[in-house]
Amino acid sequence: MGHRRQPEPKPTLAGSDRYVYSFRQGDGKNKALLGGKGANLCEMTQIGLNVPPGFVITTEACLHYLADQDKGLPRGLMPAVKEHIRDLERLTGKGFGAKDNPLLVSVRSGGAMSMPGMMDTVLNLGLNKNTLSGLAEQTGNHRFALDSYRRFIQLFGKVALGVPDEYFDAHLENVKKRAGAQADLDLGASDLEEVCNLFLGVVTEHTGQPFPDDPYEQLEVAIKAVFGSWMGKRAVDYRREFNITEDMANGTAVNVVAMVYGNMGDDSGTGVAFTRNPGTGENELFGEYLVNAQGEDVVAGIRTPKPVQNMAQEMPELYQQLEALRSKLEGHYSEVQDFEFTIEKGILYCLQTRNGKMNAAAKVRTSVEMEREGLISREQALLRVEPQLLEQMLYPQVDPSHKAEPAAQGIAASPGAACGKIVFDADRAEAAGRLGEKVILVREETKPEDIHGFFAAQGILTSRGGKTSHAAVVARGMGKPCVAGAEGINVDGRASRAYVGSHVLGEGDILTIDGTTGRVYLGELPTVEPDFSNELETLLNWADDTAALKVMANADTPEDAERAVRYGAMGIGLCRTERMFNAAERLPIVVEMILADTPEERQSALDRLLPIQRADFKALFSVMSPRPVTVRLLDPPMHEFLPTEQELMDEISRLRDKSAVDEKLITEKEIILKKVRGLHEINPMLGHRGVRLAITYPEIYRMQIQAILEAAAECVEEGTDVHPEVMVPQVCTVRELEFVSKLVREVHQETERAHNVKVPFHFGTMVEVVRACLRAESLSNIAEFFSFGTNDLSQATFSFSREDAENKFLPLYNKIGVLMDNPFEVLDVQGMGRLMRMTVEWGRKTRPDLVVGICGEHGGHPDSIRFCHHIGLDYVSCSAPRVPVARLAAARAALLQDDYKLEP
Amino acid sequence: MGHRRQPEPKPTLAGSDRYVYSFRQGDGKNKALLGGKGANLCEMTQIGLNVPPGFVITTEACLHYLADQDKGLPRGLMPAVKEHIRDLERLTGKGFGAKDNPLLVSVRSGGAMSMPGMMDTVLNLGLNKNTLSGLAEQTGNHRFALDSYRRFIQLFGKVALGVPDEYFDAHLENVKKRAGAQADLDLGASDLEEVCNLFLGVVTEHTGQPFPDDPYEQLEVAIKAVFGSWMGKRAVDYRREFNITEDMANGTAVNVVAMVYGNMGDDSGTGVAFTRNPGTGENELFGEYLVNAQGEDVVAGIRTPKPVQNMAQEMPELYQQLEALRSKLEGHYSEVQDFEFTIEKGILYCLQTRNGKMNAAAKVRTSVEMEREGLISREQALLRVEPQLLEQMLYPQVDPSHKAEPAAQGIAASPGAACGKIVFDADRAEAAGRLGEKVILVREETKPEDIHGFFAAQGILTSRGGKTSHAAVVARGMGKPCVAGAEGINVDGRASRAYVGSHVLGEGDILTIDGTTGRVYLGELPTVEPDFSNELETLLNWADDTAALKVMANADTPEDAERAVRYGAMGIGLCRTERMFNAAERLPIVVEMILADTPEERQSALDRLLPIQRADFKALFSVMSPRPVTVRLLDPPMHEFLPTEQELMDEISRLRDKSAVDEKLITEKEIILKKVRGLHEINPMLGHRGVRLAITYPEIYRMQIQAILEAAAECVEEGTDVHPEVMVPQVCTVRELEFVSKLVREVHQETERAHNVKVPFHFGTMVEVVRACLRAESLSNIAEFFSFGTNDLSQATFSFSREDAENKFLPLYNKIGVLMDNPFEVLDVQGMGRLMRMTVEWGRKTRPDLVVGICGEHGGHPDSIRFCHHIGLDYVSCSAPRVPVARLAAARAALLQDDYKLEP
């Protein structure tokens, strides 16, 4: 909690005080102190953009305030604010609270990290009965002044005084109904005056106090409210969800900016834009604007705005200014910018800019194009794209060959296809998500309060709002498919009903949305995987050139392997042979092998498995040629191939209950039951499996080794370049590895003799038992490579059985922070990582060219990959869809290696 | 296998050759080369004992011979032997093969390690028709010459030519029957001549060759036979059983010694003796002798010999010589000696000496007394006793208050009581032992071939032979109870029957033997634990003064604790609180706690457990005061307190089948069944237990902490000096430990406030999860002590579930040497030990005075204790009966610390 620095006892005047900086003075790099938005406004001002004048109140002031709210704002803050208001008065020639030419300001929150929509903002502050007429006079637009006033009363009432929106909305709707107005714009000045009076009444009624008229009182209350919003539920939830810690952002700054007006007539307007298309990455101005409106109208999705391109016709000169602004922003920030602008009577103001949130495809495309345009270096291009983001690009898309007619068409707000049961409410989405159900959150429009529903949903569908609506922005940030503004759907959230043409949809009905096309389908549609874009290929090739780590895939079948190659895998790091045993036509032979009473009976079953496995390997080697294929010998305990005791008992009792009892079949089942009981283990994770099976039943491993080496020999005979690697699981002693090594050498000699070709191979071991780590020097005498099996190694290091832990206590551990992550998803660098690092060091002591990799689930996790790079591994191996993620992560790890710090 | 040294190409003459050393030349320290016996004979000769002249053929010669037996004895060996025989001829004035005054020799095996009875010996070598008459003439005793000759033919026939004993024995018995002789001594010269001729016939018939007459041929054949016996089954079995590796002994030497004769009349005799009583340790000459007999008669137990004390009357002058010999031997060897002597016509020869095998009590007593006599230092006294041996002294004895009448009385040959089913055969003993049955091996007399039966049996009973019979010597060496020479029992091994008075005993009948008193009882008798002897107290007090490691006990109850204190425990290192939950009257409350649906229901059960646990702790603290008591908070998973799923299903179906169905009871059982299913874990060893329970149900740990600290407070109030230590199991993250630490601090404050006394305590953690080792620096920020839980840590390090491993693959692993030991019995120094060593180092980095101990099963194992000392632990904790073992082991570790070597 501690403050970064003790406050000075007595703040001095503007320019040298600690709490307040004008945009002309603030350090544009100091986001911790000024917040992201404030720092940006300072920077924008100082690089010569047309930003309305204003000042920033620091995050430090916020923290001091929050530390003891009863004391009010920190001493000296308000005098400094007044000093700066006087500065604004000088710059604008307006007067704060002045009847003539009044100065109005916006008060906006902004912490060090961007938290869109999470905290509060007040516009038009400074309005009261007095300044209202001044504003009307000053602008010659009475209606505008009243419109601003009623907006201000509602916003201030809600944000600063805690009056719920509904109280205001009800009155507004009544007045509109009485006036026969469709939209807010249809209301006349007298209507708005009535609204203002009603709104003032709402505030008095709700707070027991009249609405504050004094602009400085308004300002003080607003500053406190913004400060307070930092600890509001929404903001706290958001920070927790995105792991924003106090180190990263602590407290919000407050930006006080002279108001400019987009609602001063048809030569005014407001908009938000991206310097490039955040959905596709295309190098074009992208955004939306509304004529004669304030910015809130766009963001909240209340009115559906026009594409910014329309400005080229409607306001060609301003459009040129906008294009110039775009170039200036990208040139300065070397990053796609998401900016807000307002046009006040033909003058373009830039109100805010920040790095644009983009989906993966856009991020990739802009990275590659900006590199080509000379805006960024290749390294910057690689570092710009969070590896995790690439997963989005591999999200399934609706199968283009499907015949289904869309039920509705909306705006393609965030790409990818999603399918799930309809829920109409974020809370219910969250509840269903906890149960593992796939849901689509369907709303008229979404609000910041709905954020928890986004996390839980597969996708989001709204009937209102555009590409920059709350739903669209948040969904893109999360990489979740979103269709926005699907106006053909009528959503009645209170009744939990949605109407599409003649269909009435209720909660639980299945829907498929395609965020890439904006289409909405009833029922579940087939999906397909996307192709790689050229830009992604380019970026990943750069990544491969940069990375030190190789990226392999975990793949068990030729189909898996083909996909892995498509995704750029440089080989197979883990082929689990037992998966080959599980196929329907093979399992009976495997069962026969397990039930065998004598080595001869077992051999007979193995003799039938041999040609099958050999064919498997041959296919795999052919697909992967000339890349290496690492085959792990049988790992799971025997009983995993048999039915459970309960299943067998149930089946036997079913068989007994039949009218015609088949005694022979029952006897067969009883034999299996006896075997299952004999094989029962108390802790199968730590049981009779892996190399321990090889010691007790060497003939099984011999068969597998034979299948691998014979397949390789056949490939060699056919001229295929193969590199099989034989890997032994669960090793914990050197003698175990020697035992299998001897088997391999024997079979290898036999195979080379029989085929009369040289069969290349490498021999290595999984390192997934703690003792293997501790005996690394000795194991590497025999093993040419180590492959960390971080799934099992995590279990052994924590003494956590994964299934049991995830069912019983891990969620609570994560919730109360006993563990920050699930160690089965995120490699535990501080504990297991330490053991891994020592293992690598010890193993290479004996064999300096020992190849070391990782083939657990962590192999596809960017943070874990960074650690793997840090400790000098040679490769990571992960599931095919994570291969692109891993390739990029490997490159980033190489680029960022110097600043890797391990906790002590 | 490799030879220690390449042989010289051409051995030279006696005195400088490589294969043969005379007793005057051989290096008495070089047991590897000369064997234990040979080196000893050289040493004995060189310190002036009256040893018959002889020479040693080296173990190297043996290995060269065994490497390629087809080539015969190594080149140059026989010429050197002949040279040395000529030396013997010079020394004795006799001639090898000479008709007049012939030289006869014994040929004995002897490797670097003593393997009593395991290899072969030939006596009277050199006899043939020719020398026979020379011997008769030379000694004036025709009968003796013939007796020697018939013994030689049989021994040589058996050992060197492979003719089974039975062929000879049958003839001997026939002749005795015909001659009306009871014993061999009753046979006259003509009978013996007949026996010799019959024996020569047996050899010719059996080998197809006449018995070799040439003494040098006899010698060569005998040397080969002795060499060959090194690889004989008995010897190989023995070495495997006692883990004698090639480093320790490789090959046997051959000792060729001029014969002296104990069977030359009533002024001759032979005997074996210990310099002190090997059964009690008493400082008295102890042994047996036979007048007019050769040594084999004593060792084989064929005739029952007289106690050596009888010599004081029978041969007073010789007895004085024997006493002088005893002093000389102990003075030189600083160790109790087990020696063989022969008196040839009034001259005492010492044939052999070696360190005496003693039982634990004797070893302890002689150590303390020899220290007091100034023969050895205190350090030597401590090092003389293998800690493991002390366990013997804690073997149960027959309850002295029992009323049973012994069925027979034999010689108390090896102390301790044993009870089991009768078996008459070593093979059957072994088979029954494999099944876990307790058996007593009952034989007329035992032979070296029976060794495997000794290993399997609880105790040994023979009807013939004395304290130095094979059975007695071997049983004492193994620390197994033995009653020998129980002549009142008539054993018919072939019929598997034994007759005691009117009783006929068959295989499977139960017998109790008391090796301390020599009594034999029918049926099973109650046994009691022995008291410590004064000497043991003394030795262990010396041990405590010497040791760096403290020895604590694992104890859960006041009774356990009392015993631990009696055994010298310096505190309790592990009190398992869950054992307190399992008592019949408590379990229902525990079950109620587990079934609780709400924290309130759970608290209500805990409120009832609190006073019970508090009383437990108070009793424990009182018994142990002022020693520390380390209490481990609840460790096992909840389901361990509930019946199994199967038990419940069976019970429910039983309840349903009753005539009066108790629906309420069934519902209760069904609720438990549901809970049991809910708590089911796939790998309970890695599941929801230990501190993980504390995180999910803090109220349970809170209750236990409260019970501990309140008990301590009550003790303090009563003036009892208490030192509770609170220990947390299964910790793997710092936050877990912080969580419990906070609970402890809270409860501690509450308790001190409520009782208004200072309550001392320490807080620490088990280190039994690998990750805890890896985070040692951080854990020791909070923990004042670490206690390695090596049982769980071994499981996690090996990824072996103990029960599964011991049932499924560990026996095979040990058998084929994949692992040398069971890692759950012997601490795995090379793997887990490395982790432990790092943990200690890391933990003390943060907290230099961190107390580190071990409370797994390994805490009582001497080798493991030595390692614990080596890595700087502060204490070991083990079960009470192992405390004395651990105390002595701790002292040895301190004494031997400089030569501890870890494998790389």
Side-chain angles (χ1 to χ4, degrees), chain A residues 736 775 777 813 834, chain B residues 736 775 777 813 830 834:
Chain A
E736 288 169 335
R775 301 290 294 144
E777 290 98 324
Y813 264 49
R834 183 179 209 175
Chain B
E736 289 169 333
R775 301 290 294 145
E777 291 99 324
Y813 264 49
Q830 288 183 67
R834 183 179 210 177

Side-chain angles (χ1 to χ4, degrees), chain B residues 343-515:
Chain B
I343 303 159
E344 188 184 80
K345 292 190 172 286
I347 299 173
L348 176 72
Y349 291 93
C350 184
L351 301 187
Q352 176 185 327
T353 187
R354 58 186 174 200
N355 290 343
K357 291 207 174 196
M358 279 170 278
N359 66 26
K363 199 87 184 178
V364 168
R365 177 169 171 178
T366 52
S367 283
V368 172
E369 291 186 351
M370 285 167 76
E371 192 268 353
R372 288 188 173 145
E373 293 158 19
L375 277 170
I376 57 177
S377 68
R378 191 162 289 189
E379 286 70 26
Q380 282 173 308
L382 287 166
L383 290 172
R384 252 185 106 241
V385 185
E386 280 291 334
Q388 203 72 58
L389 205 62
L390 294 191
E391 253 188 315
Q392 272 185 33
M393 301 185 72
L394 305 163
Y395 278 155
Q397 304 287 326
V398 171
D399 183 348
S401 68
H402 72 89
K403 305 285 175 220
E405 278 297 312
Q409 172 76 49
I411 293 166
S414 180
C419 178
K421 292 181 180 170
I422 295 174
V423 290
F424 291 100
D425 173 295
D427 290 342
R428 269 171 292 179
E430 194 178 36
R434 269 204 217 99
L435 298 173
E437 283 183 23
K438 298 193 168 182
V439 297
I440 306 289
L441 179 61
V442 178
R443 304 277 288 169
E444 192 170 15
E445 56 185 315
T446 63
K447 293 193 173 177
E449 296 87 292
D450 296 326
I451 190 86
H452 56 297
F454 279 64
F455 294 123
Q458 303 300 303
I460 294 91
L461 168 63
T462 66
S463 58
R464 291 176 71 175
K467 281 195 181 180
T468 50
S469 65
H470 176 263
V473 170
V474 174
R476 275 201 302 276
M478 292 185 184
K480 303 226 171 186
C482 175
V483 173
E487 294 181 348
I489 302 179
N490 190 351
V491 179
D492 182 349
R494 293 208 190 138
S496 289
R497 284 280 175 278
Y499 305 91
V500 198
S502 59
H503 297 280
V504 182
L505 303 176
E507 199 158 288
D509 288 338
I510 306 270
L511 214 57
T512 299
I513 63 170
D514 185 344

Side-chain angles (χ1 to χ4, degrees), chain B residues 116-397:
Chain B
M118 285 305 116
M119 287 184 305
D120 293 323
T121 294
V122 179
L123 299 174
N124 297 315
L125 189 139
L127 274 180
N128 54 26
K129 287 268 158 65
N130 207 23
T131 55
L132 173 66
S133 60
L135 178 64
E137 197 174 307
Q138 173 195 30
T139 58
N141 188 335
H142 191 54
R143 189 195 171 284
F144 159 62
L146 283 163
D147 194 42
S148 300
Y149 192 35
R150 66 99 182 168
R151 287 170 192 275
F152 169 59
I153 298 166
Q154 176 166 2
L155 257 174
F156 190 90
K158 173 186 168 194
V159 168
L161 303 173
V163 184
D165 265 339
E166 299 91 275
Y167 292 83
F168 298 107
D169 291 347
H171 284 292
L172 181 63
E173 290 304 315
N174 279 340
V175 172
K176 277 163 81 177
K177 202 173 284 172
R178 259 184 283 133
Q182 288 291 320
D184 297 359
L185 275 176
D186 301 335
L187 291 175
S190 62
D191 300 325
L192 289 169
E193 190 160 16
E194 187 188 354
V195 170
C196 289
N197 287 327
L198 286 165
F199 278 17
L200 289 171
V202 163
V203 168
T204 308
E205 189 184 338
H206 201 269
T207 64
Q209 302 272 340
F211 190 87
D213 272 347
D214 175 30
Y216 280 108
E217 187 187 344
Q218 289 174 359
L219 189 54
E220 184 166 350
V221 172
I223 291 169
K224 285 179 181 171
V226 172
F227 281 168
S229 71
W230 176 257
M231 295 307 295
K233 184 176 182 311
R234 270 189 290 145
V236 170
D237 283 355
Y238 188 97
R239 293 199 295 274
R240 198 183 50 226
E241 189 64 40
F242 286 98
N243 290 322
I244 298 176
T245 63
E246 286 183 4
D247 304 341
M248 296 157 73
N250 203 0
T252 181
V254 175
N255 300 289
V256 178
V257 193
M259 286 296 298
V260 290
Y261 300 100
N263 57 352
M264 285 181 91
D266 289 342
D267 59 350
S268 299
T270 187
V272 296
F274 284 77
T275 55
R276 306 193 182 210
N277 185 321
T280 64
E282 202 181 336
N283 187 1
E284 58 171 13
L285 194 56
F286 175 91
E288 291 159 323
Y289 74 107
L290 280 169
V291 173
N292 199 18
Q294 291 251 74
E296 294 311 293
D297 298 331
V298 182
V299 174
I302 292 166
R303 283 165 55 193
T304 303
K306 305 178 201 169
V308 78
Q309 273 75 12
N310 290 19
M311 272 178 81
Q313 278 77 50
E314 220 171 342
M315 303 168 160
E317 199 183 315
L318 283 165
Y319 186 73
Q320 286 311 314
Q321 283 189 42
L322 211 55
E323 279 284 0
L325 177 59
R326 168 163 100 99
S327 297
K328 203 160 192 174
L329 286 170
E330 282 199 351
H332 181 73
Y333 289 105
S334 302
E335 181 52 276
V336 173
Q337 294 296 297
D338 166 3
F339 63 101
E340 293 179 17
F341 61 91
T342 285
I343 303 159
E344 188 184 80
K345 292 190 172 286
I347 299 173
L348 176 72
Y349 291 93
C350 184
L351 301 187
Q352 176 185 327
T353 187
R354 58 186 174 200
N355 290 343
K357 291 207 174 196
M358 279 170 278
N359 66 26
K363 199 87 184 178
V364 168
R365 177 169 171 178
T366 52
S367 283
V368 172
E369 291 186 351
M370 285 167 76
E371 192 268 353
R372 288 188 173 145
E373 293 158 19
L375 277 170
I376 57 177
S377 68
R378 191 162 289 189
E379 286 70 26
Q380 282 173 308
L382 287 166
L383 290 172
R384 252 185 106 241
V385 185
E386 280 291 334
Q388 203 72 58
L389 205 62
L390 294 191
E391 253 188 315
Q392 272 185 33
M393 301 185 72
L394 305 163
Y395 278 155
Q397 304 287 326

Side-chain angles (χ1 to χ4, degrees), chain A residues 292-341:
Chain A
N292 199 17
Q294 292 251 72
E296 296 309 297
D297 299 331
V298 181
V299 175
I302 293 167
R303 284 165 54 194
T304 304
K306 304 176 200 172
V308 78
Q309 273 75 10
N310 289 19
M311 271 178 83
Q313 278 77 50
E314 223 173 339
M315 303 166 158
E317 198 181 318
L318 283 165
Y319 186 74
Q320 286 312 314
Q321 284 190 42
L322 212 55
E323 278 285 0
L325 176 60
R326 170 162 97 100
S327 298
K328 203 157 190 175
L329 287 170
E330 281 200 350
H332 181 72
Y333 290 104
S334 302
E335 180 53 277
V336 173
Q337 293 297 298
D338 167 3
F339 63 101
E340 292 179 18
F341 61 92

Side-chain angles (χ1 to χ4, degrees), chain A residues 680 682-686 692 736 771 774-775 777 797-799 801 804 808 813 828 830-831 834, chain B residues 680 682-686 692 736 771 774-775 777 797-799 801 804 808 813 828 830-831 834 842:
Chain A
H680 172 76
I682 298 167
N683 297 291
M685 150 76 199
L686 308 176
R692 299 160 208 161
E736 288 169 335
R771 195 177 188 277
L774 296 166
R775 301 290 294 144
E777 290 98 324
T797 304
F798 281 83
S799 282
S801 164
D804 297 322
K808 299 269 158 67
Y813 264 49
D828 165 45
Q830 290 183 64
R834 183 179 209 175
Chain B
H680 172 75
I682 298 166
N683 299 289
M685 149 76 198
L686 308 176
R692 298 161 209 158
E736 289 169 333
R771 194 176 188 277
L774 296 165
R775 301 290 294 145
E777 291 99 324
T797 304
F798 280 84
S799 283
S801 164
D804 297 322
K808 300 270 156 69
Y813 264 49
D828 165 45
Q830 288 183 67
R834 183 179 210 177
W842 292 333

Side-chain angles (χ1 to χ4, degrees), chain A residues 367-407:
Chain A
S367 284
V368 172
E369 291 187 352
M370 285 167 77
E371 192 269 355
R372 287 187 173 145
E373 292 158 21
L375 277 170
I376 56 176
S377 68
R378 191 162 289 190
E379 286 70 27
Q380 284 174 306
L382 287 166
L383 290 172
R384 250 185 107 240
V385 185
E386 281 292 335
Q388 203 73 56
L389 205 62
L390 294 190
E391 253 189 312
Q392 275 184 33
M393 301 183 71
L394 305 163
Y395 278 154
Q397 303 288 325
V398 170
D399 183 347
S401 70
H402 73 91
K403 305 287 175 215
E405 277 297 309

Side-chain angles (χ1 to χ4, degrees), chain B residues 645 648-649 652 669-677:
Chain B
E645 185 175 355
L648 282 164
M649 290 197 305
I652 290 168
K669 297 292 174 192
E670 278 172 343
I671 289 171
I672 301 181
L673 178 61
K674 204 178 147 201
K675 189 78 186 184
V676 166
R677 286 183 172 147

